[in-house]
C-alpha cells in the first residue's frame, strides 16, 4: 500500500500499540568491566566445565585441560592403535625427507630436521587438542629463519653461532606462542586474514622454489637475498657453472613427485603413494649416486649425519647483545606465522571430523613444544598442511600418530642416519619444490577476485611484497593493507536510505530493493556501524549530505518538503562521547533547517549512554521509537495533525 493509504489511529489506540524504548537498568562499573573482559578474553567460557564440581574433580579436569592426553588415553583402544600406527608410519616416511630438506633451507645442519621431528611431536601429543595435526618443520618458517638470521650472521662463515641463534629464535617464538595462549590473546592472530595468508603463503612458496635453483643446478655459490631479482641475477650470472647432471636428476625426480601427487589426488584411496614418494625419491637417489659415483661428477650429497638422539642445547641459547634483538624479532615473526598456520590447519581438519579445538590451548601446546625443542637442538616447528593432510587421509584417530612418527624418527636417528650419506641435495630440492607448489593456491586467489576485490588486493600485495622484496616486507604490506581496510570499515561506515516495501510495514535499503517507496516528507537513514570518534565527523557530514540531496530532489519534483529525519540505529551496537556530540550537533543542524530528528531502535548500550549524557532529555523521548515503522507512523500522524516543530508528549504519540 502507498504511504497515502495510512490510517492514523487515535491517541488511545496508539498508546496501546506503541512500546517505549527501554533504558537498561544501571550496572555497577566493576560488573560492566568484568563482563567486557570476559567477552574479550574468555568468549568460550573455559571455566564452565568446573562449575558445581568437587575439588578432586576440578583438579582432574584442570589436568585434562592442560594435558588432553589424560582425557583420551584412558579411552584408547586397539582399533585406534591400528589406525594411528598406519598414520604414524606414513607421516614418518614424509617427515624424514622433508625434515632434512627444510633444515637445509633454514641453513642449519640436516640432522636438525630429524631432531625437530622427534621431541616436539611428543610434547604436542600430550598437550595438543587436535587429533589430526602432524607436527614438524615447515618451509616458510625455515626460509624466514635463514633470511632473518642471515642478516646478522653468515651461516657458511660462522655455522655454530648461526645454529645457536636459531635455537634462541625458536625459544622466543615458543615464549610468544605460549604467552598468547595463557593470556587469552589468540584474537591477535586473527589480524592475519585469509586473504593475507593466501598471498603470503603463495609468495613464500615462490621464493622457496626459486631458492631451490641452487640445488637443481648444482651451484656452489648463491645469493642470500630472497627477492626474485637477486635470485635470477645470481642464477644467470653463473650459467657457465650449471651442472647438467644435477639438473637432469632434479627434473626427473620432480616429475616423479608431481605425478604421484596428481595420482593420489585423483584416487584418494591411494594417498600413501604420494606420502611415500619423497622417501622413495631419497632411497632411489641415494642408490643412483652410490652406484654411479655421481658425487664425483658434480652431484652434491648430504654427507655424514651424526647418529644419536637430540643433544641438549639449553646452554647454547644466546641472550647477549647484539644478537638478542635479531633473535627476538625473528622469533616474533616466525612464531606468529607458524601459529597462524598450525591453528588454521588444525581447525580445518577438526571441521571435517566435527570436533572442536581450543585455539588458546593450541597456542600453549605449540609454544611449549618450541620452548622444549629449543633446549633439545630443535628449531621452529608447527603443524604443516601437507603432513597433516597425509595424517588425516591415513585415518588417524588421535594424537598418538605423532608419537608413532616420533618413534620412527628416533629409530632413524639411532640406526639409519649413515644411510643418508649419499642422498643427493638435488633430490631434497625436488621434494621442497613439489611441496611448495601445493601452497600456491591460485584457485583461492581467483575466488577472492570474484567475491571481494579488496581482499584480492591484500592477497596480491602480500605476494608481490614477498617475491620482489622480502618475506618480512610482504608480511608487513599484507597486514598494513588489512589494517587499513579495517580502519576504513570503522572510519567510513555505510549509511543508506530506507524505503517502505509495498503492502508492508517493512523498511529496507532502496538500492537493494528498488521497489521500496520513499515516504513523503520523511528521510529514513540507516547507520551500519557503531558510532565512535573515528567516524563521528564523517557520519555528521554524510547525513547532512543525504539531507541536502533529499531536499534538492523534493524541490526538483515539487513534492512535499522534507519534515523529518529518522535514524535507524539497529546496527549501532555502541557509541562513545564523540558520537553523542555528533548527535547533538546533528540535532541542532536539523532544527536550524526546520527539520525534526527522530531515532529508531537504539540498542541497550546506546540508550544507556544517551540517558547518562542527558541527550534523551534534549531530544525528548517522544522522538525515540522502537521500530522504523512506528517512527514513520508517528511522523505521518504529526504531519496530518500538527506542525512538525510542535512536540507531543510520549503517551499521546
Amino acid at each position: 500500500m502507498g504511504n497515502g493509504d495510512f490510517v492514523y489511529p487515535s491517541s488511545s489506540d496508539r498508546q496501546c500499540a506503541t512500546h517505549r524504548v527501554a533504558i537498561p537498568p544501571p550496572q555497577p562499573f566493576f560488573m560492566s568491566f568484568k563482563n567486557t573482559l570476559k567477552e574479550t578474553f574468555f568468549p568460550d567460557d573455559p571455566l564452565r566445565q568446573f562449575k558445581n564440581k568437587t575439588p578432586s574433580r576440578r583438579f582432574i579436569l584442570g589436568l585434562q585441560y592442560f594435558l588432553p592426553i589424560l582425557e583420551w588415553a584412558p579411552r584408547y583402544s586397539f582399533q585406534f592403535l591400528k589406525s594411528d600406527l598406519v598414520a604414524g608410519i606414513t607421516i614418518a616416511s614424509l617427515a624424514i625427507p622433508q625434515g632434512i630438506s627444510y633444515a637445509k633451507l633454514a641453513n642449519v645442519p640436516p640432522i636438525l630436521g630429524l631432531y625437530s621431528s622427534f621431541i616436539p611431536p611428543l610434547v604436542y601429543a600430550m598437550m595438543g587438542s587436535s587429533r589430526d595435526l602432524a607436527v614438524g618443520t615447515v618451509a616458510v618458517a625455515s626460509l624466514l629463519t635463514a633470511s632473518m638470521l642471515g642478516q646478522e650472521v653468515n651461516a657458511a662463515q660462522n655455522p655454530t653461532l648461526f645454529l645457536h641463534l636459531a635455537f634462541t629464535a625458536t625459544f622466543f617464538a615458543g615464549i610468544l606462542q605460549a604467552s598468547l595462549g595463557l593470556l587469552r590473546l589468540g584474537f591477535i592472530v586473527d589480524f592475519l586474514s585469509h586473504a593475507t595468508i593466501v598471498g603470503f603463503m603463495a609468495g613464500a612458496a615462490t621464493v622457496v622454489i626459486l631458492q631451490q635453483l641452487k640445488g637443481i643446478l648444482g651451484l656452489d655459490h648463491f645469493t642470500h637475498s630472497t627477492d626474485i631479482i637477486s635470485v635470477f641475477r645470481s642464477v644467470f650470472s653463473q650459467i657457465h657453472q650449471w651442472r647438467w647432471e644435477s639438473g637432469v636428476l632434479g627434473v626427473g625426480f620432480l616429475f616423479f613427485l608431481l605425478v604421484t601427487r596428481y595420482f593420489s589426488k585423483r584416487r584418494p584411496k591411494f594417498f600413501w603413494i604420494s606420502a611415500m614418494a619423497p622417501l622413495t625419491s631419497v632411497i632411489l637417489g641415494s642408490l643412483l649416486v652410490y652406484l654411479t659415483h655421481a658425487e664425483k661428477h658434480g652431484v652434491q650429497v648430504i654427507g655424514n649425519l651424526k647418529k644419536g638422539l637430540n643433544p641438549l642445547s639449553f646452554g647454547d641459547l644466546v641472550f647477549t647483545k647484539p644478537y638478542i634483538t635479531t633473535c627476538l624479532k625473528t622469533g616474533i615473526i616466525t612464531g606468529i606465522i607458524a601459529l597462524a598456520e598450525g591453528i588454521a590447519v588444525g581447525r580445518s581438519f577438526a571441521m571435517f571430523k566435527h570436533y572442536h579445538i581450543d585455539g588458546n590451548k593450541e597456542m600453549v601446546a605449540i609454544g611449549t613444544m618450541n620452548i622444549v625443542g629449543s633446549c633439545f637442538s630443535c628449531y621452529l616447528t608447527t603443524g604443516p598442511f601437507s603432513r597433516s593432510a597425509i595424517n588425516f587421509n591415513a585415518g588417524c584417530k588421535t594424537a598418538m600418530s605423532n608419537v608413532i612418527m616420533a618413534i620412527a624418527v628416533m629409530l632413524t636417528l639411532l640406526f639409519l642416519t649413515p644411510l643418508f650419506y649419499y642422498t643427493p641435495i638435488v633430490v631434497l630440492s625436488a621434494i621442497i619444490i613439489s611441496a611448495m607448489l601445493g601452497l600456491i593456491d591460485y584457485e583461492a586467489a581467483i575466488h577472492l577476485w570474484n567475491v571481494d576485490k579488496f581482499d584480492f588486493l591484500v592477497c596480491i600485495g602480500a605476494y608481490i611484497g614477498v617475491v620482489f622484496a622480502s618475506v618480512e616486507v610482504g608480511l608487513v604490506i599484507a597486514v598494513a593493507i588489512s589494517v587499513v581496510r579495517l580502519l576504513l570499515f570503522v572510519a567510513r561506515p555505510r549509511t543508506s536510505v530506507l524505503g517502505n516495501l509495498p503492502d508492508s510495514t517493512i523498511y529496507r535499503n532502496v538500492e537493494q530493493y528498488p521497489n521500496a517507496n520513499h515516504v513523503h516528507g520523511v528521510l529514513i537513514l540507516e547507520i551500519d556501524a557503531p558510532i565512535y570518534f573515528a567516524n563521528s565527523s564523517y557520519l555528521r557530514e554524510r547525513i547532512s549530505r543525504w539531507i541536502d540531496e533529499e531536499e534538492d530532489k523534493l524541490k526538483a519534483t515539487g513534492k512535499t518538503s522534507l519534515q523529518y529525519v529518522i535514524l535507524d540505529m539497529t546496527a549501532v551496537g555502541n557509541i562513545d562521547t564523540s558520537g553523542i556530540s555528533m548527535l547533538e550537533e546533528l540535532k541542532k543542524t536539523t532544527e536550524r533547517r526546520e527539520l525534526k530528528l527522530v531515532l529508531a531502535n537504539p540498542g541497550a548500550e546506546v540508550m544507556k549512554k544517551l540517558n547518562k549524557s542527558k541527550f534523551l532529555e534534549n531530544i525528548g523521548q517522544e522522538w525515540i521509537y522502537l521500530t522504523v515503522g512506528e517512527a514513520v507512523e508517528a511522523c505521518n500522524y504529526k504531519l496530518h495533525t500538527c506542525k512538525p516543530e510542535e512536540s507531543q508528549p510520549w503517551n499521546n504519540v
Side-chain angles (χ1 to χ4, degrees), residues 63-143:
L63 286 178
Q64 290 178 345
Y65 182 82
F66 287 102
L67 296 171
I69 191 173
L70 298 178
E71 180 182 355
W72 56 262
R75 296 181 280 106
Y76 200 72
S77 66
F78 182 70
Q79 289 298 116
F80 282 6
L81 179 60
K82 287 196 296 185
S83 299
D84 289 338
L85 188 63
V86 173
I89 293 174
T90 305
I91 57 176
S93 67
L94 179 65
I96 292 169
Q98 274 193 351
I100 296 172
S101 304
Y102 294 158
K104 292 289 291 182
L105 183 62
N107 285 337
V108 296
I111 193 67
L112 258 70
L114 298 182
Y115 290 162
S116 301
S117 297
F118 173 46
I119 295 293
L122 294 176
V123 177
Y124 182 82
M126 292 188 291
M127 302 186 66
S129 58
S130 172
R131 306 170 194 166
D132 304 282
L133 206 66
V135 171
T137 56
V138 288
V140 175
S142 301
L143 176 68

Side-chain angles (χ1 to χ4, degrees), residues 90-91 93-94 97 264 270-280 390:
T90 305
I91 57 176
S93 67
L94 179 65
S264 294
F270 295 96
F271 67 90
W272 54 270
I273 293 179
S274 176
M276 297 293 292
L279 186 58
T280 304
I390 296 295

Side-chain angles (χ1 to χ4, degrees), residues 197-211:
I197 293 175
V198 169
F200 177 79
M201 287 298 183
T206 303
V207 168
V208 170
I209 290 171
L210 293 174
Q211 289 287 317

Side-chain angles (χ1 to χ4, degrees), residues 579-649:
I580 295 172
S581 298
M582 182 275 290
L583 290 179
E584 291 172 346
E585 292 178 28
L586 185 62
K587 179 180 179 298
K588 293 176 182 177
T589 301
T590 53
E591 286 176 346
R592 284 197 299 268
R593 302 174 71 157
E594 298 184 347
L595 304 174
K596 197 67 185 177
L597 182 65
V598 183
L599 304 184
N601 196 28
E605 280 297 313
V606 176
M607 281 296 289
K608 188 190 302 181
K609 292 181 180 179
L610 293 182
N611 180 50
K612 289 182 177 179
S613 65
K614 308 299 182 183
F615 181 78
L616 293 184
E617 296 180 10
N618 186 9
I619 191 175
Q621 285 194 339
E622 67 270 21
W623 297 108
I624 301 177
Y625 293 89
L626 196 61
T627 66
V628 174
E630 289 184 0
V632 171
E633 187 180 325
C635 292
N636 275 314
Y637 176 72
K638 291 173 185 293
L639 281 171
H640 288 76
T641 58
C642 58
K643 295 180 181 180
E645 61 270 13
E646 290 180 359
S647 174
Q648 297 291 324

Side-chain angles (χ1 to χ4, degrees), residues 482-512:
S482 298
V483 171
V484 167
R485 184 182 194 184
L486 180 64
L487 293 176
L488 284 175
F489 279 143
V490 174
R492 294 294 182 266
R494 287 186 176 276
T495 57
S496 53
V497 176
L498 304 185
N500 175 237
L501 295 182
D503 301 319
S504 75
T505 57
I506 300 172
Y507 293 82
R508 291 292 183 266
N509 188 339
V510 295
E511 291 184 1
Q512 185 179 1

